[in-house]
């Protein structure tokens, strides 16, 4: 798998830098032409050295563009659940047209995290966690989450993460195989029951609403990819479709989506009627539009009783924008022709 590795001992810097470079070309960046790749070393409970890689995925609604760091968080929470922790991070960014050894000054840029990502990281990384910026040409600068974002505002400040919303006891980390199966499945057609069991096994970071959103998408290459909603203390959330498309784009590069299964449920039994169907959020629809094979693809809504209702993307999406409508690609190519070698 390209976006996940489990190791007995930590990976060295050279291996991580090579991994960051190998992920280049996967980001979906029609607007910026700028590839961001990141790798996080994560853990859950006593288990260490679970590594996730992520890439940036742009959307004409910039608020649902997914940053490389967010893609790592998406893969981590989708596969490990909302008690997972970031223990170390590495980030690389440069125009796609450049490669290692370039004399272009952009090859020496040591990319930092944007403010939104710092805020999101803080929910899963304490102030001592090191974050490394690695240039395309290999120079490294290290800082910490505490230096990035002192006095972190997280769910713990309003006592949500610790106040009973999370599981009572730390769980055992899943095996590497189980982690991979939570993220991507391929090689055969899945039955509805299999997709539903998969969706029900996923856990959102839903400390604010106690309402989870999970999706499974089917890609043009036949693979299935899952993603969950990740709520954030300052409400700069990652929607479930952002998670799934970021995981898919990291693993395979840009792919079309041909079918979607969506499952929303509440942790509190009284909060949700078991027979209610909940359509994906508008931000999820906006994310999906960019990757949907066409606007008639089916979205299967599943409810807590395992029943299904089918809608079409077009029902929600007739007039929403995509890059094709905005003709953004031409402009980014113009901008970055100059950065080429
Ligand atoms: Zn960012």
């Amino acid at each position: 798998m390209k976006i996940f590795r489990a190791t007995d001992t930590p990976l060295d810097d050279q291996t991580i830098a090579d991994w960051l470079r190998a992920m280049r070309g996967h980001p979906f960046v029609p607007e910026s032409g700028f590839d961001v790749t990141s790798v996080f070393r994560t853990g859950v409970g006593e288990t260490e050295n679970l590594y996730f890689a992520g890439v940036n995925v742009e959307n004409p609604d910039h608020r649902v563009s997914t940053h490389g760091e967010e893609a790592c968080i998406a893969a981590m929470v989708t596969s490990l659940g909302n008690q997972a922790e970031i223990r170390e991070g590495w980030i690389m960014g440069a125009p796609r047209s450049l490669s290692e050894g370039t004399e272009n000054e952009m090859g020496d840029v040591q990319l930092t995290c944007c403010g939104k990502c710092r805020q999101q990281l803080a929910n899963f990384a304490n102030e001592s966690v090191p974050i490394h910026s690695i240039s395309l040409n290999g120079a490294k600068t290290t800082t910490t989450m505490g230096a990035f974002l002192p006095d972190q505002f997280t769910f713990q400040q309003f006592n949500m993460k610790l106040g009973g919303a999370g599981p009572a006891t730390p769980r055992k980390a899943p095996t590497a195989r189980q982690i991979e199966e939570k993220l991507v499945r391929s090689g055969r057609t899945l039955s509805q029951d299999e997709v539903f069991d998969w969706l029900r096994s996923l856990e959102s970071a839903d400390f604010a609403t106690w309402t989870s959103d999970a999706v499974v998408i089917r890609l043009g290459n036949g693979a299935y990819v899952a993603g969950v909603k990740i709520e954030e203390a300052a409400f700069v959330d990652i929607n479930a479709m952002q998670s799934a498309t970021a995981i898919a784009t990291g693993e395979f590069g840009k792919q079309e989506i041909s079918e979607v299964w969506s499952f929303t449920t509440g942790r509190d039994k009284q909060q949700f009627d078991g027979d209610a169907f909940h359509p994906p959020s508008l931000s999820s629809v906006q994310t999906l539009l960019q990757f949907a094979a066409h606007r008639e693809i089916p979205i299967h809504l599943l409810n807590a009783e395992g029943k299904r209702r089918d809608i079409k993307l077009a029902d929600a999406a007739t007039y929403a924008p995509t890059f094709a409508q905005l003709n953004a690609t031409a402009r980014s190519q113009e901008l970055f022709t100059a950065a080429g070698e």
Side-chain angles (χ1 to χ4, degrees):
M1 198 170 205
K2 293 194 175 72
I3 61 164
F4 172 69
R5 293 183 197 176
T7 60
D8 293 331
T9 54
L11 297 172
D12 61 36
D13 277 349
Q14 185 60 50
T15 304
I16 300 267
D18 289 343
W19 190 2
L20 291 167
R21 288 188 197 99
M23 296 297 295
R24 289 173 54 74
H26 282 213
F28 177 63
V29 290
E31 192 159 359
S32 73
F34 194 89
D35 280 3
V36 178
T37 58
S38 58
V39 168
F40 289 173
R41 182 169 64 82
T42 79
V44 58
E46 302 284 296
T47 306
E48 289 277 357
N49 302 325
L50 303 172
Y51 289 86
F52 296 95
V55 303
N56 53 329
V57 179
E58 293 177 352
N59 188 283
D61 180 345
H62 293 172
R63 291 169 299 179
V64 291
S65 283
T66 310
H67 299 198
E69 300 92 319
E70 294 177 297
C72 289
I73 294 173
M76 175 184 80
V77 177
T78 299
S79 59
L80 298 179
N82 59 36
Q83 301 300 300
E85 292 173 357
I86 297 164
R87 309 255 161 98
E88 195 166 3
W90 295 259
I91 297 139
M92 178 182 285
R96 172 164 295 181
S97 53
L98 303 182
S99 47
E100 187 185 7
T102 179
E103 291 182 5
N104 187 303
E105 62 186 14
M106 295 297 284
D108 299 318
V109 167
Q110 291 172 59
L111 198 70
T112 186
C113 282
C114 77
K116 182 176 122 182
C117 288
R118 294 177 193 204
Q119 176 61 35
Q120 286 170 320
L121 292 171
N123 288 282
F124 300 98
N126 68 40
E127 295 194 356
S128 66
V129 166
I131 306 287
H132 313 284
S133 299
I134 302 187
S135 73
L136 181 58
N137 286 338
K140 184 176 97 165
T141 301
T142 298
T143 185
T144 63
M145 273 306 298
F148 260 173
L149 191 65
D151 305 324
Q152 297 176 347
F153 177 71
T154 70
F155 280 121
Q156 293 188 13
Q157 289 213 340
F158 40 113
N159 206 25
M160 283 193 171
K161 192 158 186 174
L162 302 176
T169 51
R171 79 283 306 272
K172 258 183 74 179
T175 64
R177 170 111 181 115
Q178 287 169 332
I179 290 170
E180 291 183 355
E181 289 215 320
K182 288 256 176 122
L183 297 173
V184 177
R185 299 183 194 181
S186 56
R188 66 183 181 85
T189 301
L190 299 182
S191 70
Q192 180 180 306
D193 284 349
E194 287 174 303
V195 174
F196 192 45
D197 286 345
W198 186 2
L199 284 165
R200 274 193 293 201
S201 76
L202 301 173
E203 183 177 83
S204 295
D206 56 357
F207 306 114
T209 63
W210 283 34
T211 302
S212 67
D213 284 333
V215 298
V216 166
I217 56 178
R218 186 158 203 208
L219 305 178
N221 66 5
Y224 300 79
V225 177
V228 299
K229 175 180 68 173
I230 296 152
E231 290 178 351
E232 198 288 313
F235 289 178
V236 283
D237 296 6
I238 302 167
N239 71 57
M241 197 66 68
Q242 275 182 279
S243 284
T245 52
I247 291 164
T249 307
E251 184 65 20
F252 300 111
K254 189 200 175 225
Q255 289 283 320
E256 281 189 345
I257 298 172
S258 59
E259 197 166 2
V260 175
W261 293 260
S262 176
F263 178 53
T264 298
T265 191
R267 289 197 214 191
D268 184 342
K269 298 277 181 272
Q270 293 170 346
Q271 182 185 357
F272 260 61
D273 292 332
D275 60 353
F277 289 96
H278 296 270
S281 68
L282 275 179
S283 67
S284 275
V285 170
Q286 174 65 36
T287 308
L288 173 58
L289 268 174
Q290 187 55 53
F291 296 97
H294 53 79
R295 293 193 181 213
E296 298 292 316
I297 68 164
I299 301 175
H300 310 295
L301 309 178
L302 300 167
N303 73 10
E305 293 178 346
K307 295 189 175 125
R308 192 179 104 183
R309 176 175 295 168
D310 294 340
I311 62 172
K312 285 180 179 165
L313 173 58
D315 298 335
T318 305
Y319 300 107
T322 68
F323 281 126
Q325 291 176 325
L326 300 175
N327 196 24
T329 307
R331 178 167 156 72
S332 73
Q333 282 170 353
E334 246 168 60
L335 280 172
F336 283 98
T337 302
E341 311 228 64

